[in-house]
């Protein structure tokens, strides 16, 4: 194993029972793959090296029970450091740690912890306290675990609150979306009703205009027929018609009397009376005159032909 890369010397040469001592090897990185091949090495000493950080796959070394990382230059631990659930003893003396990952709360088997000589956050430094003897280091492990569990619970609570807020926000957005869709449906329904009402008004207006046109056409037809009816001869007044009928009745009566007289003078014994002689003579003269008139008419027709 070389001083810079951790290769060249077999780790088995460093293994003593279940303890693997890699301290004072001037390591810049941890040979995780080689360490994973030695599950019997439950005690690992990486103190007094030049480690600035630990790779994320370092947390796969779940067989570790005791880990010494003191006197390095570690600025932070991997976020999933809590995967080392079998870890009981952890020495982080004299590094550059300010905080610990929240997953640190999962190290439920941790019994011993040393965080001295790190630029810790004041709250964390107060919780950890000193580690000057076995008792203080054990108390530091208990208190730090409790503190990190409280932080984890608070973060979980905040995460739950955030998720709850996101769910409520999502519900609110869904409710707003539903309200918007309902409003759009109502708007479309109202627009449809308005369009229907507009078409109905147009239909009524067209129907009224058509009726008005028919009425106007009918009125013009009536006005056109009136002058023709006015050309007819005016009817005679009712009183004039009654007078004409009276005259006609008188004439008929006179004619009837004449005919009766003529019949009496021709057919009865009165024909020898002077009055009847005069009537018969007048009748014969009239008949002769009519015959002469008929003869003259026939002659005229014949000449014209």
């Amino acid at each position: 194993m070389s001083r810079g890369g951790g290769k060249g010397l077999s780790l088995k040469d460093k293994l003593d029972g279940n303890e693997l001592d890699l301290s004072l090897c001037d390591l810049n990185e941890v040979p995780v793959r080689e360490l994973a091949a030695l599950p019997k090495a439950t005690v690992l000493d990486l103190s007094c090296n030049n480690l600035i950080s630990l790779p994320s796959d370092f947390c796969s070394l779940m067989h570790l029970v005791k880990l010494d990382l003191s006197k390095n230059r570690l600025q932070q631990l991997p976020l999933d450091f809590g995967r080392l659930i079998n870890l009981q003893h952890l020495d982080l003396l004299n590094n550059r740690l300010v905080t610990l990952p929240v997953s640190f709360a999962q190290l439920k088997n941790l019994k011993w912890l040393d965080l001295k000589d790190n630029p810790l956050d004041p709250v964390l430094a107060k919780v950890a306290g000193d580690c000057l003897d076995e008792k203080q280091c054990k108390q530091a492990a208990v208190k730090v675990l409790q503190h990190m569990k409280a932080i984890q619970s608070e973060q979980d609570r905040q995460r739950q609150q955030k998720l709850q807020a996101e769910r409520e926000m999502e519900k609110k957005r869904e409710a707003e979306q539903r309200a918007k869709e309902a409003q759009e449906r109502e708007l479309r329904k109202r627009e449809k009703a308005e369009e229907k009402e507009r078409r109905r008004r147009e239909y009524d207006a067209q129907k009224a205009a058509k009726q008005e046109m028919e009425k106007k056409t009918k009125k013009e037809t009536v006005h056109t027929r009136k002058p023709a009816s006015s050309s007819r001869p005016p009817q005679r007044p009712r009183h004039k018609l009654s007078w004409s009928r009276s005259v006609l009745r008188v004439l008929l009566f006179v004619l009837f009397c004449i005919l009766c007289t003529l019949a009496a003078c021709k057919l009865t014994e009165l024909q020898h009376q002077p009055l009847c002689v005069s009537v018969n003579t007048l009748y014969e003269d009239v008949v002769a005159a009519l015959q002469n008139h008929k003869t003259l008419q026939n002659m005229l027709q014949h000449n014209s032909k």
Side-chain angles (χ1 to χ4, degrees):
M1 179 175 62
S2 67
R3 299 173 66 86
K7 296 181 181 178
L9 180 64
S10 175
L11 294 183
K12 292 182 180 181
D13 297 336
K14 294 279 186 176
L15 184 61
D16 183 9
N18 66 337
E19 297 183 6
L20 180 61
D21 187 1
L22 297 179
S23 62
L24 300 171
C25 292
D26 197 21
L27 295 176
N28 295 320
E29 59 183 23
V30 180
V32 177
R33 183 174 299 178
E34 289 80 357
L35 292 173
L38 298 173
K40 293 182 179 180
T42 58
V43 178
L44 178 61
D45 188 355
L46 291 170
S47 63
C48 302
N49 283 292
N50 298 318
L51 301 176
I52 297 176
S53 63
L54 299 177
S56 59
D57 56 352
F58 180 84
C59 301
S60 65
L61 304 176
M62 299 174 61
H63 59 277
L64 294 178
V65 175
K66 183 176 180 179
L67 177 61
D68 189 352
L69 292 169
S70 62
K71 297 181 181 180
N72 278 280
R73 294 183 293 168
L74 295 173
Q75 299 179 3
Q76 61 182 5
L77 297 178
L79 294 178
D80 54 349
F81 192 81
R83 291 175 60 192
L84 303 174
I85 57 175
N86 294 313
L87 198 60
Q88 299 179 14
H89 186 109
L90 179 59
D91 192 348
L92 294 170
L93 171 71
N94 194 10
N95 277 277
R96 299 177 182 178
L97 297 172
V98 177
T99 60
L100 297 175
V102 178
S103 65
F104 199 91
Q106 300 174 11
L107 301 177
K108 59 182 179 178
N109 292 315
L110 189 64
K111 308 297 181 183
W112 194 97
L113 177 63
D114 189 359
L115 287 172
K116 290 192 311 295
D117 299 330
N118 280 281
L120 296 174
D121 178 80
V123 176
L124 180 59
K126 183 177 180 180
V127 170
D130 293 328
C131 184
L132 301 177
D133 54 30
E134 189 75 10
K135 182 179 179 180
Q136 289 182 343
C137 292
K138 288 182 178 181
Q139 290 178 349
V142 174
K143 291 180 180 179
V144 170
L145 282 179
Q146 291 176 349
H147 177 68
M148 298 309 297
K149 287 179 180 180
I151 293 177
Q152 186 180 45
S153 299
E154 179 63 21
Q155 289 187 354
D156 291 342
R157 187 183 65 82
Q158 292 179 356
R159 190 180 301 109
Q160 291 296 327
Q161 288 180 347
K162 184 178 180 181
L163 291 175
Q164 182 66 22
E166 290 178 353
R167 285 194 292 266
E168 291 179 356
M169 184 62 67
E170 182 66 22
K171 290 181 180 179
K172 184 178 180 180
R173 284 195 294 266
E174 291 177 356
E176 290 177 351
Q177 183 66 23
R178 288 194 296 269
K180 183 178 179 181
E181 292 176 355
Q183 186 176 5
E184 290 177 352
R185 287 195 300 271
E186 184 64 24
L187 180 60
R188 289 194 297 270
K189 184 178 180 181
R190 185 164 58 251
E191 290 177 349
K192 187 177 180 180
E194 291 177 354
E195 178 65 18
K196 185 176 181 180
E197 181 64 22
R198 185 185 64 80
R199 292 199 304 268
R200 183 182 290 109
R201 288 197 299 267
E202 290 180 355
Y203 173 78
D204 293 341
Q206 292 176 359
K207 186 176 180 180
K210 185 177 180 181
Q211 291 177 351
E212 184 66 22
M213 183 63 68
E214 292 177 352
K215 185 177 179 181
K216 185 176 180 181
T217 304
K218 185 176 181 181
K219 189 175 181 180
E220 290 177 352
T221 304
V222 171
H223 284 307
T224 305
R225 291 177 179 177
K226 280 185 177 181
S229 62
S230 61
S231 61
R232 296 177 181 177
Q235 296 181 357
R236 295 180 180 181
R238 188 175 184 86
H239 63 279
K240 291 185 178 180
L241 182 59
S242 300
W243 182 82
S244 299
R245 289 179 178 177
S246 300
V247 172
L248 180 59
R249 289 174 182 175
V250 171
L251 291 176
L252 290 175
F253 179 73
V254 172
L255 180 59
F256 178 73
C257 293
I258 293 173
L259 291 176
C260 290
T261 303
L262 181 61
C265 292
K266 280 289 187 180
L267 302 176
T268 63
E269 296 177 355
L270 297 176
Q271 59 185 339
H272 300 289
Q273 295 295 328
L275 179 60
C276 289
V277 172
S278 299
V279 170
N280 290 331
T281 302
L282 178 61
Y283 171 75
E284 291 175 355
D285 292 338
V286 170
V287 170
L290 290 174
Q291 289 179 350
N292 292 331
H293 176 71
K294 187 175 182 180
T295 301
L296 178 62
Q297 186 177 6
N298 290 332
M299 291 175 63
L300 290 173
Q301 289 178 354
H302 180 71
N303 290 330
S304 63
K305 291 180 181 181

